[in-house]
Structure formats: structure tokens, C-alpha cells
Amino acid sequence: MRSPLWQLVLFRLRALYREPSTLFWIFAFPLLTSIALGVAFRNRDLAELSVAVADGPGAPELAACLEAAEGLRAERLPLEQARERLRVGRAALVVVPGEPPELIGDPTQPDGRTAKLLAVDALERENGRKDTRSYAAHSVNAPGARYIDFLIPGLLGMSLLSSGVWGIGWALVQMRHGKLLKRLAATPMRRGHFLLSFLLTRTALALVEMAFFVGFARLLFDVRVFGSSVELAGFGLLGSICCGGLGLLVASRSRTLEGASGLMNLATMPMMGLSGVFFSAAHFPSWMQPALKALPLTALNDGLRAIMIDGAGLEAIWLEGAILAAWGVLCYAAALKLFRWQ
Amino acid sequence: MSTPAIEVKGLVKRFDDVVAVDGIDLQIAQGECVGLLGPNGAGKTTTVEILEGLLPPSAGEVCVLGRSWATQAEEIRPRIGVALQETRFYEKLTVRETIELFRSFYRSGLEVDEAARLVQLEEKARAQVGKLSGGQRQRLALAVALVAEPELLFLDEPTTGLDPQSRRAMWDIIDSLKGRGRTVVLTTHYMEEAQVLCDRVVIVDHGKVVAQGTPAALIASLGGEQIIEFCTEPRLDPASLHSLPSLVRVREKNGGALLSVRELHVALPALLLAASQEGTRLVELSTRHATLDDVFLNLTGHSLREEQGP
């Protein structure tokens, strides 16, 4: 095929799949990150709280009663050792036999407070308290409500951002640094074809990235897409093209790889912390919220989460879409103005 | 002859406060092979990049193939071929894929394999660029420049950094590309290269043209076409050299001198006689034909081989 556009796209594709490190950052890195974080923050059963029962008259009965209570584990120890356990955090509560028994614990520790409530409840029942009502309790642990469900769209957004910025920016700076851009500028190549070849390749890769994310998240963590997959792809592509513009802009003038990588880190790193990738951006103070909402990665993450977790349609995330589009227009306009072929 | 391939008048290029090209006039006829010869930093590359349409001139007129870069760039680009001083083609593409990419930008031109064959890279066609030697990379740059079958070919330092064998191979290839009405403009700081390849040499120093002509005419302009280089111990009094027969010029150097003479067979015996009469001993003596380097040395007072600041 002689078409210059096709040849340029082939060039980009070959550069992509013949560079194993690129593939690592695009596919293996997010996969490993989500596995690590998914395991670290998985929802698991709470461990039983340890209660140290100090030696004394009635200690065996006390220990048996507490051991029988759900959520508690009791151990008999001399008083000094029991206090030591509490001090180093290996026991949540110390119970000293007596009439009534004495409870020693740290009420500012969640475990200490819970252990005290459970112990009092168990001892009261043992002492003959009658409950007036019984409650029906149901457990919830459904897909959509877990940390991993929150994390996956955030990681997808981050991945689209970094592969957009680095995928386009790094390639351009490398080509400028090696004078390949200058050499291309000496041919009749149409400048539009050149830009388009980057956008087409980016779009194709972004689709593969999204399919890969959604696929492994479903297989490994049972993360589901509650909204429409087509709308997810469409919104993700908008984000990907916007991030590509950011990459084009930061790489529009740099000649050195060092200078460019600094700029690209500057463009991506702060957003990874501020835009709700690993934790919700709502944790930041309220005066920061308008600024955070205006960041492209926040808009991308919020939109992806709305589609994946809340099952929202595109009409519900028009604002996020508009923010991304505005960033895209701004970046491309500035980049085309500033772009330097040598 | 029809319109010249290149016509340049009063070309000036300033970078911030450095004047890289300081008023160059140049006329290159179609079918000519012209070498811009000068040391590093003489302004050769800047001049050529302006001719290639990669840099705008600060002042002066530039006409390439009868057209102006400012208004008719689209008409010039398909007709020229360019090999920059150093281009790092993408390392993971093969030779063939690289040539094919560049071929796609032109409406007409060579077949990809033909371009590879012209630069003797057909056996490396499937090798990735990253695996090529320096000489092979330079040849790839040449193939990429040739793929459009350009009327006008620019070669910026085509053999810089190559070992003598690769350089000679490159000369053979470039030599085979001349003719068929193709104009070749090359820059070099190797005088042998200009002497071997070029119909005409334009000597450039400090952004100015110092001399131009065929290599033979430039050498003849020295007056003495033979060079005697010698050293003596102790140092021979330069005054005793001025009476040597057929002497054109004396240039002193460490412990001896460089003599330009018209006739070796009369100058040399006289030099030997003078040396023994003065009671000095010859420790070095060689004779050779004058080269473009001697021309350059004579015109500028420094050698091509010395590194020059811009």
C-alpha cells in the first residue's frame, strides 16, 4: 500500500509492538498495580479481637464466657503480661476478674472500643440479661460496592492519560532529537497526515487498552460494567484523544529527551494524586473541588466511574465530556501553534 | 543551459547574535556536482538547510529549481532529495520499511528495492535500522534521499565519521549517481572527497565564499602545484629559502617549512644544497602534489583539518 497515511500508521504501529517496554507500561503495569492494590484492599472478614484475661479467682469462667462470644478470642495471662499485651497492641482489651470485673482498654482505638462493647455484651448475657428484641441482619458484599470497583476505572483513566501523553510526546521528542522530524519536514509529506497517523494509532491502542482493562477486571475481580460498553468506549476515546493533545503540547518544542520527560511528568504526576485514581478526590478540602473538577483526568475518571459503577448514560456525564473536549481543543490549538519540526 | 538549479544572492543567516552565513552568492547549473568545502562551523550546513527549505534565510535571495521557498515550497519539495548530516531513522523499522515510508510521500520515484540496490543495501533490506553499521546508515540516508528520483540531491557531510573503506564505497555510489541531468550539492570538510567527487568546489570559511572553481583550477591558482615539506636540525634560516628556483611560496611550520614550487626537479636539488651549505641536517623530507587543503590554507591561513569555531 502506497498511501502515505497508511505508511505513517504502519510506522507508528511497528514502533509500538516492536518496543516491549511500551507494551509493559500499557498492559503489564496497570495489571500488576490492580492486582497488588486489589489484594491489599480486598474486603475480608474481620479478625477476632484478642482479649487478655488476667489471672485471679473466677478467671477461667470469665475467659470461657468471652471466648464463646462471637468476634472475641480470650487468653489467660498474669496481670503484668496482660497489660504488656495491651501496650504493644497485641490485645485490644484487658479483663481483670472481680465483682464486677474490671475492663482496661484504649477507647480511642476502634479495636479497643469494639472489644469493650462485645465483652460487656457477652458478660451481661452471661449474667442473665434478657434481650427484648431480636434483629434480622443481612450482609452486603456485592460487585460495584468494593474498593476494586472504584479502583479499576481510575486506573483505566490513569492508563489512558499516561499512554496518551507518553505515547505521543515521547515518540515526537525522540524523532525531533534524532532529526527524523526535520528529515520528514524536507519531504512533501502532508503535515495533517502525520498528526492523523498519531491520532489513529492512539485511538486503536486506546480501544485495545479499554478492552484489556474491562476483560481482566471482570476475570480477576468480577468487576462489571453496569452502563453501556459502547458509551464507555466512546467516552474513553474522547479522554484518550484529549490526553494525546496534552502529549502533543508538552512535546511541541522540546529537543532533549530529559527536558521532555520532565515536562511529561509534570503534566501527569500531579493529576495522578489529585484526580481520584486511588482514592476519591472528594477527600480534598471543598475549596479545592472546583479546580480538581476542571482537571482532565478528574473528568475522565468521574465519567468512567459513572458509566462503569453507576450505569450512567452519556447524558448524565455531559459536563465531564465538555471539560475533556475543552481541554482537547485547547491543547491541540496551542500545540499546532507551537510545534517545531527541528 | 536552462535556468540554474540553484541561484543564491547575498544570503545571510543570523542565529541570535551569531552570523552563520555572511553574504553568500552561489550559482549551480543543472547537472553539476558542486561541493561546499570548509571546516566545521564554516556555515556549510546552514547554507544547505536554507537551500533545502528547512531554515528561512535572514536576508538574501534563494531560488531553487527556478522557484522560491517562500511561495512555492510545495513545488520544490517533490523534486529534491535530502540526506541530512545525521538522521536517526527509527531503529525498529527495517531498511525496506524505512525506504517504503519515505517513498509513499512522493507521487513518482524508484521502486523500494531499486533504491536499496543503488546504495548496495539489498542484502540488508530486512534488517532493522538499529542493527546497521555507521556506513550502512549513511547509505540508508542516501537511499531515502534517492527514492523520489530527485532532480536535485543534497548530501550534507555524507561520509563524516566513516572509516576509510566505507568512505570509499560511499564515493563510488555517489559517483554513480551523477549524470543523467541530476544536480548534486554536497558539503564536506574532507578535501579528498571534494577533489574526487565534485565538478566544482566552493570553498567556504566563516560564512563567506573564499574561492570557487574546478579542483584543478583551484590548485593551479596556487601557482606552484608541487609541495615540498621538510624539517631540519638546527632550523634552516628562512631567508636562505627565498632564492630557491621556481619557488612560489614559503609557509613556515615547526622546525621547517612548506614550499610551493612550480618545478620539483629544480627546486629539490637546490633545497638539499642550501641545507648542507647552512650546516643543517634534514630530518624530514616529502614531496607531493598540491591539494585543495593547500588552497584552503593559502586562502585562509588555517587548515581545513583544524577545528574552527563558528
Side-chain angles (χ1 to χ4, degrees):
Chain A
M1 280 272 280
R2 274 281 157 80
S3 146
L5 181 58
W6 172 240
Q7 284 292 329
L8 283 164
V9 169
L10 266 184
F11 172 31
R12 298 315 316 145
L13 289 176
R14 283 163 175 156
L16 198 72
Y17 70 76
R18 288 182 192 168
E19 203 70 76
S21 64
T22 317
L23 298 179
F24 172 81
W25 287 108
I26 293 177
F27 296 109
F29 177 71
L31 178 64
L32 295 175
T33 312
S34 50
I35 290 175
L37 292 175
V39 168
F41 294 101
R42 72 185 183 277
N43 295 14
R44 61 193 156 189
D45 297 333
L46 286 175
E48 291 193 313
L49 297 172
S50 173
V51 177
V53 179
D55 289 340
E61 294 75 23
L62 260 180
C65 163
L66 292 171
E67 179 72 39
E70 195 180 336
L72 291 182
R73 187 160 34 93
E75 200 177 347
R76 288 174 53 199
L77 293 166
L79 182 58
E80 276 317 300
Q81 272 185 43
R83 281 178 172 278
E84 182 63 16
R85 286 269 172 109
L86 179 67
R87 192 183 67 77
V88 299
R90 287 180 57 202
L93 189 72
V94 173
V95 180
V96 184
E99 203 47 55
E102 189 184 345
L103 304 179
I104 308 168
D106 182 352
T108 65
Q109 291 288 330
D111 282 358
R113 196 198 300 188
T114 312
K116 186 181 158 205
L117 289 173
L118 290 172
V120 168
D121 186 53
L123 294 174
E124 281 292 297
R125 272 190 201 173
E126 180 75 8
N127 217 21
R129 184 191 74 193
K130 285 280 175 273
D131 292 335
T132 55
R133 287 198 289 187
S134 70
Y135 298 85
H138 301 287
S139 323
V140 180
N141 186 16
R146 303 160 305 168
Y147 176 67
I148 191 75
D149 296 299
F150 175 85
L151 179 68
I152 288 292
L155 278 180
L156 175 57
M158 182 178 89
S159 178
L160 290 174
L161 172 75
S162 60
S163 61
V165 170
W166 287 91
I168 291 191
W170 190 256
L172 281 175
V173 177
Q174 212 177 16
M175 287 165 80
R176 188 181 293 114
H177 181 70
K179 295 194 190 164
L180 189 49
L181 277 188
K182 192 190 210 175
R183 182 62 190 80
L184 287 169
T187 70
M189 177 188 74
R190 286 169 61 182
R191 311 303 198 242
H193 281 167
F194 185 70
L195 178 62
L196 203 57
S197 72
F198 274 86
L199 292 185
L200 288 175
T201 321
R202 190 79 273 289
T203 299
L205 185 64
L207 286 174
V208 176
E209 267 179 85
M210 285 189 275
F212 174 75
F213 254 88
V214 169
F216 85 69
R218 178 69 202 248
L219 284 177
L220 293 181
F221 302 108
D222 196 25
V223 171
R224 292 176 202 172
V225 178
F226 287 93
S228 142
S229 299
V230 175
E231 290 182 3
L232 182 71
F235 187 79
L237 283 187
L238 175 65
S240 162
I241 289 171
C242 163
C243 296
L246 197 57
L248 189 68
L249 179 61
V250 294
S252 59
R253 294 184 86 80
S254 303
R255 279 204 188 95
T256 64
L257 297 170
E258 295 78 10
S261 72
L263 278 178
M264 285 186 257
N265 275 324
L266 192 67
T268 54
M269 294 293 253
M271 279 200 278
M272 291 181 187
L274 295 172
S275 291
V277 173
F278 300 102
F279 54 87
S280 170
H283 291 308
F284 287 105
S286 59
W287 59 267
M288 286 175 73
Q289 292 301 325
L292 295 183
K293 284 266 180 237
L295 290 173
L297 185 57
T298 315
L300 180 56
N301 284 344
D302 288 354
L304 292 173
R305 283 200 179 107
I307 297 174
M308 282 184 76
I309 303 176
D310 308 337
L314 288 181
E315 71 287 344
I317 50 169
W318 66 270
L319 179 62
E320 283 79 8
I323 292 174
L324 284 177
W327 273 99
V329 168
L330 204 74
C331 287
Y332 282 103
L336 293 180
K337 191 109 186 131
L338 293 172
F339 195 81
R340 194 153 63 177
W341 288 86
Q342 42 185 295
Chain B
M1 210 74 210
S2 45
T3 49
I6 289 174
E7 202 166 15
V8 171
K9 280 186 199 134
L11 181 64
V12 175
K13 181 67 187 178
R14 282 181 222 98
F15 294 105
D16 300 323
D17 48 356
V18 180
V19 182
V21 177
D22 190 8
I24 281 186
D25 297 320
L26 204 60
Q27 189 159 29
I28 296 173
Q30 286 182 24
E32 226 185 341
C33 177
V34 172
L36 296 184
L37 177 67
N40 293 331
K44 306 181 301 280
T45 295
T46 308
T47 305
V48 166
E49 288 191 352
I50 292 169
L51 297 180
E52 291 163 348
L54 292 172
L55 285 176
S58 305
E61 284 173 38
V62 177
C63 206
V64 175
L65 298 169
R67 286 165 177 78
S68 143
W69 276 114
T71 55
Q72 296 159 297
E74 305 300 311
E75 294 172 41
I76 306 176
R77 278 207 188 91
R79 297 169 63 191
I80 65 169
V82 169
L84 298 176
Q85 204 173 93
E86 197 205 350
T87 304
R88 247 170 283 153
F89 292 106
Y90 192 74
E91 303 224 325
K92 298 286 166 79
L93 285 193
T94 67
V95 166
R96 203 172 188 294
E97 288 161 353
T98 304
I99 301 176
E100 194 166 28
L101 171 66
F102 278 84
R103 174 64 183 85
S104 73
F105 304 140
Y106 299 90
R107 247 179 256 276
S108 65
L110 298 174
E111 288 300 315
V112 173
D113 296 321
E114 172 68 5
R117 195 190 56 77
L118 273 180
V119 299
Q120 295 160 20
L121 275 180
E122 61 266 64
E123 280 167 25
K124 289 279 172 188
R126 293 187 188 285
Q128 292 193 354
V129 173
K131 305 233 155 63
L132 299 183
S133 71
Q136 289 166 339
R137 282 173 201 229
Q138 296 276 53
R139 277 169 15 221
L140 173 61
L142 186 56
V144 166
L146 282 172
V147 78
E149 280 206 289
E151 294 163 53
L152 177 54
L153 184 60
F154 291 99
L155 306 174
D156 195 358
E157 307 257 358
T159 66
T160 294
L162 300 190
D163 59 81
Q165 206 179 346
S166 311
R167 177 170 304 154
R168 230 156 261 286
M170 193 75 169
W171 286 353
D172 289 340
I173 294 169
I174 296 172
D175 208 40
S176 72
L177 298 175
K178 298 193 307 193
R180 281 175 281 170
R182 177 179 288 140
T183 312
V184 180
V185 179
L186 68 88
T187 73
T188 181
H189 60 271
Y190 300 116
M191 48 119 190
E192 305 95 321
E193 189 161 292
Q195 220 157 341
V196 168
L197 292 177
C198 300
D199 307 327
R200 195 153 62 88
V201 175
V202 177
I203 299 182
V204 184
D205 193 37
H206 296 302
K208 289 194 166 83
V209 174
V210 228
Q212 50 182 308
T214 64
L218 284 169
I219 291 165
S221 73
L222 283 172
E225 291 177 31
Q226 302 289 337
I227 304 289
I228 303 173
E229 272 182 273
F230 71 92
C231 284
T232 59
E233 270 176 1
R235 194 162 167 273
L236 189 61
D237 180 13
S240 64
L241 294 170
H242 289 297
S243 57
L244 289 179
S246 93
L247 181 77
V248 179
R249 197 174 293 104
V250 179
R251 186 172 292 279
E252 288 179 49
K253 53 173 237 181
N254 289 350
L258 213 125
L259 309 177
S260 299
V261 300
R262 278 189 301 276
E263 292 171 285
L264 200 55
H265 64 280
V266 296
L268 193 56
L271 172 66
L272 296 174
L273 188 65
S276 69
Q277 276 172 353
E278 296 282 322
T280 63
R281 192 169 58 87
L282 275 169
V283 291
E284 254 181 64
L285 176 71
S286 65
T287 70
R288 58 179 171 82
H289 277 279
T291 63
L292 288 174
D293 199 23
D294 298 300
V295 177
F296 189 82
L297 184 65
N298 186 43
L299 290 167
T300 65
H302 56 89
S303 168
L304 271 173
R305 281 167 286 208
E306 290 164 20
E307 295 285 308
Q308 291 292 306

